[in-house]
Amino acid sequence: MLQYIIRRVLIAIPVLLGITLINFLIIKLAPGNPVDMFINPNTPKELLDTKKELLGLNDPFFLQYFKWLLNLLQGQLGYSFSTYAPVTVMIGERLGPTLLLASASLVVGLAIAIPVGVLSAIRQNTKFDYLMTGLSFIGTSIPQFFLGLGLIYIFAIQFRLLPTGGMTTLGGSGGAWDLIRHMIMPVFVLGIVIAGKKVRYVRASMLDVLQQDYLRTAQAKGLHPFIVTNKHALRNALIPIITVVGMEIPLLLGGSVLIEQIFQWPGIGQLTIQSILSRDYPTLMGLNLVAAFIVLVTNLFTDIFYSAADPRITYS
Amino acid sequence: MKRNVHRTLLGVIVSLALLLSACSANKPAPAPSQAPAQEGASKTEATSTPQGEKIVHIGIVNAPITLNQINDQGDSASDNVLALLNDSLLDLNEKFEFIPKLAQSVETADNQTFVVKLDPAAKWNDNTPFTTADVAFTLKLALHPKVETNFRLNFIEGLNDTGKLEEGVTEISGLHIVDDHTFEVKTKTKIDPLIFKERFGTKVFFLPQHILKDVNPEQLATHPYFQKPEVTIGAFKFGSFVKGQYAEVVKNPSYYRAIAKLDKIFIKVLPAANLVAQLQTGEIHMNSIPVGLIPITDYEKVTGFSNVELTSGNSSVPPELFFNAEKISDPKVRQAFAYALNRSLIVDQLLKGQGEIIDGGIPSYHPYYNKEITNYSYDPEKAKQLLKEANWDSSKPVSFLIPVGNKIREQAADILVQNLTDVGIKVDVQKFDFATLIQKVLKGDYDVTIFTRDFYIEPSSYFTLFKGDNPGNFLKYKNPEVDTLIAQGEAESDPAKRHDIYNRLQAILHEDVPSLAVYSEKRLLAVSSKVSVGKPLDIGMFNNVNEWDLNP
């Protein structure tokens, strides 16, 4: 197992390099550049040329890439073209809020999806099942921005129970309760979307397991139905769910652009959009590197958990 | 030209906000139900604010990107925060008057030597006196060839045409320090004092020499000072700055003028729909223009808020159609475009009457606006006739590049396309994000485009674009007569003669139509009834920010 992990980590290095090279290529191919965006006929052309020179935009493509790589080896991601802040700082201050929002939504989503999915499967083709599959269908198909704005309208504007957005009350005394109040709506929206998708997986996977012979055996042994469902069936039914959740995590950590925008959540997604629109190459490269890293790490962890949950699966 | 930060989602959000507001408009909330709601709101506010602090929240839509006072990168959102942290020599107000700030006086006898006397009481917020040494330090650093700055001081003697020092030169020959509080600036030629007062008086902010004296100019931009500019000279000082979220400034207790009455100001970044919602909930106190525009579609809605006072600003800098003069070379065709457009429909329907029609880029309240010009009317028949005279090939498609992001401008462009089709011009619409659009425009890969320029008080800034030998003239427009007038206008120092020159220039450009303004919007200015002093303004909003106050 340890050998397997080491091998995977070693393979990850060239993969990461390849990803950064492709990203660099795509970013450079995108039309426009950070200097010409400041179009102003009153700005002398010489000044724009000096700026391009200072930012290293006149260097050949591969030289620019190698300069970036060299910086990376020294643990530096360079300075943002628009704010002139170190990219590591810019990403660092955004990563925390994104992690918080993502993990809270994932917990809420799974806390809804697993019990609902299991109950739906056990009571297949009952009114409860129809209602829940119907709701999960709505949960997956309702646009996030619609749900988000609807909630803002109801809870923030009509009833004034919750703040319309942000992460803390500006000028307020802060505190955990303040943070929670700001999290309720975005976490709810993301949680609903996750739950909507996952309910169907849990239900299908559970139905599959319930038809297995060993479950009939367990029932025939006279085990309590609760133990049959939760110990024998659920544990096996959740194995495929690990993969699905593992695939969800990079998406969540990449930042939910829409939700962060609507609720002004200071996360990675917002930063990504801003960097793309301002052609802020160093920040974009940094964001891509972080995203690629997260995908590789979660994939690795998914595989490890998978084998821990299902002894039949071994890596050698 | 504004570096528009486009929010791709804005369109979706705005249209949704529309939908929501439509829902609420159908059933006006009865007064009794509104009162308890507001009580609830003030209760939550009271619990979350430390006692007795006076805080004003200002909502804007575009995020400030930098706090660098010598290089705002043309970003109007950053200017909001910069104006709170930094004082300039002079303030400009809505009546286009220059008012002393850091400078006690700016005088010239010959329009070439400008004598500036600093306020002797002026000091940085760490109590270090502000002197002419700081002025000289700032200029030498900002005008160093490897330093990026938005200062445009190329009129000063000793600087090159781009307004920088030549490589290896460290002294500015046109800058003469008389004593600690007096300095003189000599210009290359006589200039209109307006130019000096705008570009030096109001656009130059200062760097503290005692903090930055050892900095290497080539690494100035990434110096940690600019991430946290704690030592500045303004009514407020740096509190915190979370990019894309908010900037917080706190009262400067050692301000050299009357100390601010407010304790803190937050400049908060939020989508336009949320801006309206937070005005309603009282989470923000006012907007700021041009970066905190209230969508005109929400006009009626905001008028209905009992806690918000809504006014309209002056008719602002218009979005303009820019023609590629190499592709659409016949002025008759460009005039035909002008006659074909139903701009009053845009003002009446899209802007709900909150705007006016002008033809040139200078807004009508600008002192150099030519009032004699009669606007092109909506006359499709005349347009057709002109096209016929010019032998226009109606099968030839005209590529019309539209930047995405400004919803009203996009909708207006849709109407324009319809108008053009109606007179027999085939239009090929292409929508792009701003960076892509600009690249295409600079390459000349377009026939017509539309965007909005900046506001300038100095009139020559509106015309540099049309200069035949300006590499930034993406219109490829060439007219020797216009070139001569532009040069005359820049060289003339007598304001009365300049008025004549610029009136003539506007008249010629009106006939030639290298560009055509579409509409001049009266931007909405909203302020909460909780604020007793302070409100959004077109110009000089923060001039008196130290007097701003909340109602008890």
Side-chain angles (χ1 to χ4, degrees), chain B residues 45-96:
Chain B
E45 260 171 47
T47 49
S48 60
T49 312
Q51 248 193 348
E53 279 207 323
K54 288 185 180 174
I55 302 178
V56 162
H57 297 268
I58 301 170
I60 59 175
V61 175
N62 297 348
I65 53 176
T66 178
L67 298 184
N68 182 335
Q69 62 262 53
I70 63 162
N71 183 24
D72 70 356
Q73 304 192 32
D75 175 47
S76 318
S78 303
D79 290 343
N80 271 288
V81 193
L82 289 170
L84 289 168
L85 297 177
N86 300 279
D87 280 356
S88 46
L89 294 173
L90 302 168
D91 274 343
L92 179 67
N93 70 11
E94 287 223 292
K95 295 175 196 146
F96 299 104

XYZ file of all heavy atoms in Angstrom, chain B residues 45-96:
389
model
N -28.791 45.472 13.695
C -27.656 46.362 13.482
C -27.066 46.805 14.814
O -25.861 46.845 14.987
C -28.101 47.601 12.704
C -27.759 47.503 11.233
C -28.395 48.611 10.444
O -28.307 49.764 10.888
O -28.985 48.313 9.398
N -27.968 47.136 15.756
C -27.507 47.634 17.040
C -26.696 46.572 17.775
O -25.687 46.877 18.391
C -28.689 48.069 17.894
N -27.116 45.311 17.665
C -26.396 44.280 18.398
C -25.046 43.978 17.763
O -24.124 43.578 18.444
C -27.211 42.972 18.450
O -27.646 42.694 17.127
C -28.379 43.070 19.383
N -24.941 44.187 16.446
C -23.711 43.759 15.800
C -22.669 44.879 15.724
O -21.560 44.652 15.311
C -24.014 43.230 14.399
O -24.616 44.242 13.638
N -23.045 46.106 16.083
C -22.089 47.207 15.996
C -21.612 47.576 17.386
O -22.422 47.820 18.271
C -22.770 48.441 15.366
O -23.456 48.008 14.206
C -21.763 49.492 15.000
N -20.289 47.636 17.576
C -19.797 48.073 18.875
C -20.365 49.456 19.201
O -20.505 50.294 18.314
C -18.284 48.135 18.675
C -17.996 47.238 17.516
C -19.200 47.293 16.649
N -20.659 49.663 20.463
C -21.419 50.854 20.842
C -20.775 52.173 20.449
O -19.565 52.355 20.586
C -21.622 50.845 22.359
C -23.086 50.640 22.688
C -23.352 50.939 24.125
O -22.446 51.088 24.930
N -24.618 51.062 24.459
N -21.595 53.064 19.916
C -21.161 54.426 19.712
C -20.324 54.684 18.482
O -20.049 55.828 18.178
N -19.876 53.625 17.774
C -19.065 53.866 16.583
C -19.929 54.350 15.440
O -20.991 53.801 15.178
C -18.347 52.576 16.165
C -17.103 52.314 16.960
C -16.092 51.494 16.154
O -16.532 50.610 15.410
O -14.889 51.753 16.290
N -19.467 55.390 14.768
C -20.202 55.885 13.604
C -19.567 55.305 12.350
O -18.413 55.618 12.041
C -20.137 57.402 13.567
C -20.986 58.066 14.632
C -20.945 59.556 14.442
C -21.797 60.252 15.509
N -21.651 61.691 15.422
N -20.329 54.472 11.677
C -19.787 53.787 10.500
C -20.676 54.044 9.293
O -21.902 53.959 9.397
C -19.708 52.263 10.748
C -18.848 51.982 11.977
C -19.146 51.550 9.531
C -18.733 50.534 12.333
N -20.071 54.364 8.177
C -20.823 54.486 6.929
C -20.354 53.391 5.978
O -19.154 53.137 5.856
C -20.629 55.895 6.304
C -21.021 55.890 4.834
C -21.463 56.922 7.051
N -21.319 52.727 5.347
C -21.016 51.699 4.354
C -21.362 52.233 2.971
O -22.480 52.690 2.755
C -21.835 50.438 4.615
C -21.534 49.771 5.921
N -20.605 48.779 6.044
C -22.031 49.976 7.169
C -20.542 48.384 7.301
N -21.406 49.101 8.007
N -20.392 52.168 2.057
C -20.627 52.620 0.687
C -20.584 51.407 -0.228
O -19.640 50.617 -0.162
C -19.542 53.635 0.259
C -19.553 54.841 1.204
C -19.761 54.082 -1.181
C -18.379 55.772 1.010
N -21.599 51.246 -1.046
C -21.658 50.075 -1.925
C -21.131 50.385 -3.312
O -21.494 51.401 -3.905
N -20.250 49.536 -3.823
C -19.801 49.646 -5.213
C -19.855 48.260 -5.860
O -19.916 47.254 -5.163
C -18.370 50.233 -5.337
C -17.355 49.378 -4.589
C -18.324 51.659 -4.845
C -15.924 49.864 -4.782
N -19.865 48.244 -7.191
C -20.022 46.975 -7.899
C -18.673 46.420 -8.362
O -18.418 45.230 -8.272
C -20.986 47.143 -9.094
C -21.074 45.867 -9.907
C -22.362 47.535 -8.582
N -17.789 47.298 -8.835
C -16.473 46.849 -9.291
C -15.493 46.874 -8.120
O -15.496 47.806 -7.328
C -15.948 47.755 -10.396
C -16.838 47.710 -11.624
O -17.707 46.852 -11.732
N -16.643 48.633 -12.525
N -14.660 45.856 -8.046
C -13.750 45.745 -6.916
C -12.514 46.619 -7.103
O -11.907 46.600 -8.165
C -13.326 44.297 -6.747
N -12.136 47.388 -6.048
C -10.877 48.135 -6.137
C -9.715 47.144 -6.245
O -9.729 46.118 -5.567
C -10.798 48.873 -4.801
C -12.147 48.776 -4.186
C -12.804 47.572 -4.759
N -8.749 47.429 -7.115
C -7.658 46.471 -7.247
C -6.390 46.906 -6.528
O -5.585 46.098 -6.166
C -7.344 46.159 -8.724
C -7.097 47.433 -9.517
C -8.464 45.363 -9.359
C -6.698 47.162 -10.947
N -6.219 48.197 -6.319
C -4.946 48.637 -5.764
C -5.122 49.813 -4.817
O -6.074 50.576 -4.929
C -3.979 49.029 -6.898
O -2.761 49.496 -6.335
C -4.551 50.124 -7.785
N -4.179 49.942 -3.860
C -4.164 51.104 -2.976
C -2.920 51.939 -3.242
O -2.485 52.724 -2.406
C -4.180 50.659 -1.513
C -5.404 49.863 -1.079
C -5.340 49.581 0.411
C -6.681 50.626 -1.392
N -2.320 51.740 -4.416
C -1.108 52.470 -4.769
C -1.484 53.875 -5.214
O -2.098 54.071 -6.257
C -0.392 51.706 -5.885
C 0.903 52.344 -6.286
O 1.097 53.556 -6.100
N 1.800 51.553 -6.828
N -1.084 54.873 -4.416
C -1.557 56.231 -4.702
C -0.879 56.878 -5.903
O -1.340 57.903 -6.382
C -1.441 57.130 -3.464
C -0.053 57.359 -2.922
C 0.256 56.434 -1.760
O 0.104 55.224 -1.873
N 0.684 56.986 -0.644
N 0.237 56.288 -6.392
C 0.833 56.885 -7.585
C 0.487 56.083 -8.837
O 0.886 56.429 -9.932
C 2.363 57.051 -7.472
C 3.054 55.694 -7.336
C 2.731 57.981 -6.328
C 4.529 55.768 -7.659
N -0.237 54.977 -8.683
C -0.602 54.191 -9.856
C -1.938 53.500 -9.632
O -1.993 52.355 -9.196
C 0.483 53.158 -10.157
C 0.167 52.371 -11.402
O -0.575 52.831 -12.264
N 0.708 51.168 -11.492
N -3.027 54.189 -9.933
C -4.349 53.596 -9.721
C -4.737 52.666 -10.863
O -5.802 52.066 -10.848
C -5.415 54.686 -9.530
C -5.695 55.466 -10.802
O -5.010 55.228 -11.822
O -6.592 56.323 -10.793
N -3.859 52.522 -11.866
C -4.095 51.663 -13.022
C -5.392 52.013 -13.739
O -6.027 51.155 -14.347
C -4.118 50.187 -12.615
C -2.856 49.764 -11.900
C -2.760 48.259 -11.756
O -3.230 47.525 -12.601
N -2.162 47.804 -10.687
N -5.799 53.257 -13.646
C -7.009 53.693 -14.341
C -8.274 53.081 -13.778
O -9.311 53.061 -14.416
N -8.197 52.566 -12.557
C -9.330 51.857 -11.983
C -10.145 52.797 -11.084
O -9.708 53.181 -10.006
C -8.796 50.668 -11.178
C -9.890 49.950 -10.448
O -10.924 49.684 -11.077
O -9.728 49.668 -9.248
N -11.340 53.146 -11.523
C -12.148 54.109 -10.768
C -12.558 53.566 -9.410
O -12.803 54.341 -8.480
C -13.408 54.471 -11.551
O -13.122 54.662 -12.897
N -12.665 52.244 -9.283
C -13.046 51.682 -7.984
C -11.946 51.953 -6.966
O -12.220 52.333 -5.821
C -13.301 50.188 -8.116
N -10.696 51.782 -7.381
C -9.577 52.057 -6.472
C -9.552 53.529 -6.078
O -9.192 53.873 -4.954
C -8.246 51.696 -7.131
O -8.239 50.353 -7.532
N -9.960 54.405 -7.007
C -9.947 55.841 -6.721
C -10.801 56.188 -5.501
O -10.506 57.129 -4.778
C -10.443 56.633 -7.937
C -9.447 56.580 -9.084
O -8.283 56.224 -8.834
O -9.834 56.884 -10.224
N -11.878 55.441 -5.282
C -12.726 55.680 -4.114
C -11.934 55.558 -2.827
O -11.999 56.428 -1.964
C -13.860 54.639 -4.062
C -15.072 55.087 -4.832
O -15.777 55.975 -4.404
N -15.285 54.485 -5.975
N -11.195 54.468 -2.702
C -10.432 54.241 -1.477
C -9.264 55.206 -1.406
O -8.962 55.768 -0.353
C -9.933 52.781 -1.414
C -9.435 52.468 -0.023
C -11.037 51.817 -1.808
N -8.606 55.416 -2.549
C -7.452 56.312 -2.577
C -7.844 57.720 -2.132
O -7.095 58.385 -1.404
C -6.843 56.353 -3.982
C -6.105 55.068 -4.388
C -5.743 55.090 -5.866
C -4.857 54.882 -3.539
N -9.020 58.174 -2.531
C -9.452 59.529 -2.170
C -9.720 59.649 -0.672
O -9.632 60.738 -0.108
C -10.705 59.894 -2.946
N -10.046 58.548 -0.018
C -10.266 58.597 1.429
C -8.944 58.614 2.198
O -8.836 59.193 3.268
C -11.095 57.395 1.879
C -12.557 57.416 1.463
C -13.201 56.056 1.690
C -13.300 58.480 2.255
N -7.937 57.948 1.630
C -6.663 57.810 2.330
C -5.703 58.952 2.029
O -4.802 59.226 2.808
C -5.980 56.488 1.934
C -6.705 55.202 2.302
C -5.939 53.998 1.779
C -6.849 55.097 3.814
N -5.858 59.581 0.845
C -4.876 60.565 0.403
C -5.537 61.896 0.072
O -6.589 61.932 -0.556
C -4.181 60.066 -0.865
C -3.458 58.748 -0.654
O -2.348 58.717 -0.148
N -4.108 57.653 -1.012
N -4.877 62.970 0.472
C -5.303 64.298 0.030
C -4.439 64.709 -1.145
O -3.266 64.344 -1.237
C -5.116 65.317 1.155
C -6.248 65.261 2.158
O -7.194 64.483 1.923
O -6.193 65.988 3.168
N -5.024 65.496 -2.055
C -4.242 66.058 -3.139
C -4.020 67.543 -2.834
O -4.544 68.064 -1.850
C -4.972 65.868 -4.462
O -6.322 66.220 -4.320
N -3.268 68.220 -3.698
C -3.013 69.637 -3.451
C -4.307 70.429 -3.507
O -4.545 71.323 -2.709
C -2.029 70.189 -4.491
C -0.607 69.616 -4.446
C 0.200 70.125 -5.624
C 0.082 69.981 -3.130
N -5.162 70.068 -4.492
C -6.419 70.790 -4.680
C -7.560 69.788 -4.776
O -7.352 68.633 -5.129
C -6.374 71.593 -5.988
C -5.259 72.625 -6.147
C -5.196 73.101 -7.583
C -5.491 73.794 -5.195
N -8.763 70.248 -4.467
C -9.964 69.446 -4.711
C -10.735 70.087 -5.849
O -10.735 71.308 -5.995
C -10.862 69.441 -3.470
C -10.466 68.351 -2.492
O -9.746 67.428 -2.902
O -10.893 68.435 -1.327
N -11.408 69.260 -6.624
C -12.279 69.780 -7.677
C -13.710 69.531 -7.235
O -14.029 68.453 -6.735
C -11.991 69.040 -8.991
C -12.835 69.430 -10.200
C -12.525 70.856 -10.627
C -12.571 68.478 -11.364
N -14.577 70.544 -7.377
C -15.961 70.309 -6.975
C -16.890 70.293 -8.183
O -16.458 70.432 -9.320
C -16.408 71.323 -5.921
C -16.551 72.724 -6.477
O -16.514 72.929 -7.691
N -16.715 73.685 -5.589
N -18.175 70.106 -7.914
C -19.151 69.938 -8.994
C -19.315 71.190 -9.852
O -19.805 71.114 -10.965
C -20.510 69.582 -8.389
C -20.561 68.182 -7.875
C -21.867 67.525 -8.251
O -22.890 67.960 -7.707
O -21.866 66.616 -9.092
N -18.925 72.342 -9.307
C -19.022 73.570 -10.106
C -17.738 73.808 -10.883
O -17.514 74.893 -11.404
C -19.285 74.768 -9.182
C -20.624 74.700 -8.492
C -20.742 75.864 -7.503
C -21.864 75.637 -6.524
N -21.537 76.199 -5.198
N -16.880 72.794 -10.930
C -15.590 72.878 -11.622
C -14.686 73.950 -11.016
O -13.937 74.611 -11.707
C -15.783 73.109 -13.129
C -16.546 71.995 -13.778
C -17.877 72.141 -14.125
C -15.928 70.777 -14.019
C -18.575 71.095 -14.702
C -16.630 69.729 -14.594
C -17.952 69.890 -14.935
